[in-house]
Amino acid sequence: MKKAFASLLLAGLVQGCAGYQLGPAKPAYLHEIHAIAVPMFGNTTLVPRIEALVTGTIIKQFHQDGTYRIVNADTADAVLKGEIIAVSRAPARSVRGNVLSTTEFYLNVVVKYSLVGRDGKSLSDGQASGGTSFFVGSDVNTDERQALPLAAEGAARQLVSQLTEGW
């Protein structure tokens, strides 16, 4: 009786784990993609030299995730083309008693991307955004420049998540 119950319990546990898998869980439409090339992203904003920061952050995020290898365009299964389309700053908190003076801003970075296969067909298109808040010190522009890597990291995390998990 105990052996029958134990075997029934073991069968139920194994049955319950049938939907899970270890390792990368790529979207079905990207199952043949193993290596991606990431050339320098374009920049349509007025923020200078941000394309190197965003591209490097996206590559770093792909390395941390481990689902795809980052290689040069000659050996890649697909190429990730992208463009930074917006960098915006909005007031998040004002000085008490003076609503025209801001003490904290919210910084947002928006990236548009397209994953293109070897045959030139688009495999996945989308947008990713990331943001962070920062407090104003003596120079708003310097404070914003220091907050850019955090906003870029948020956009990179969202972009990589969309390509590795499908959402």
Side-chain angles (χ1 to χ4, degrees):
M1 178 76 169
K2 287 183 181 180
K3 286 183 183 181
F5 179 72
S7 61
L8 182 63
L9 181 64
L10 182 62
L13 289 174
V14 171
Q15 179 79 13
C17 297
Y20 296 101
Q21 77 178 47
L22 295 175
K26 295 186 235 179
Y29 61 92
L30 297 176
H31 73 282
E32 293 182 6
I33 305 299
H34 303 289
I36 294 177
V38 184
M40 189 68 70
F41 276 32
N43 182 10
T44 60
T45 69
L46 297 176
V47 180
R49 297 182 301 278
I50 192 174
E51 53 274 351
L53 171 72
V54 170
T55 305
T57 305
I58 289 170
I59 291 171
K60 182 180 88 173
Q61 195 65 36
F62 272 118
H63 283 300
Q64 287 179 350
D65 181 82
T67 302
Y68 302 108
R69 288 181 296 118
I70 301 299
V71 296
N72 61 16
D74 299 335
T75 59
D77 299 326
V79 176
L80 179 66
K81 297 179 180 181
E83 186 174 39
I84 304 153
I85 59 172
V87 176
S88 60
R89 177 178 72 195
R93 185 180 303 173
S94 62
V95 175
R96 194 175 276 200
N98 183 3
V99 294
L100 299 177
S101 181
T102 302
T103 60
E104 184 180 6
F105 283 101
Y106 185 78
L107 182 68
N108 193 35
V109 175
V110 182
V111 176
K112 186 171 99 175
Y113 68 90
S114 177
L115 186 65
V116 180
R118 284 187 186 177
D119 56 359
K121 291 183 181 177
S122 178
L123 302 171
S124 179
D125 293 326
Q127 280 190 5
S129 65
T132 187
S133 61
F134 65 95
F135 288 97
V136 178
S138 59
D139 184 18
V140 177
N141 293 327
T142 302
D143 296 334
E144 179 179 329
R145 197 76 181 155
Q146 290 176 349
L148 272 172
L150 293 174
E153 186 176 340
R157 225 179 295 122
Q158 189 179 40
L159 187 150
V160 170
S161 175
Q162 289 173 6
L163 291 177
T164 58
E165 299 171 9
W167 47 274

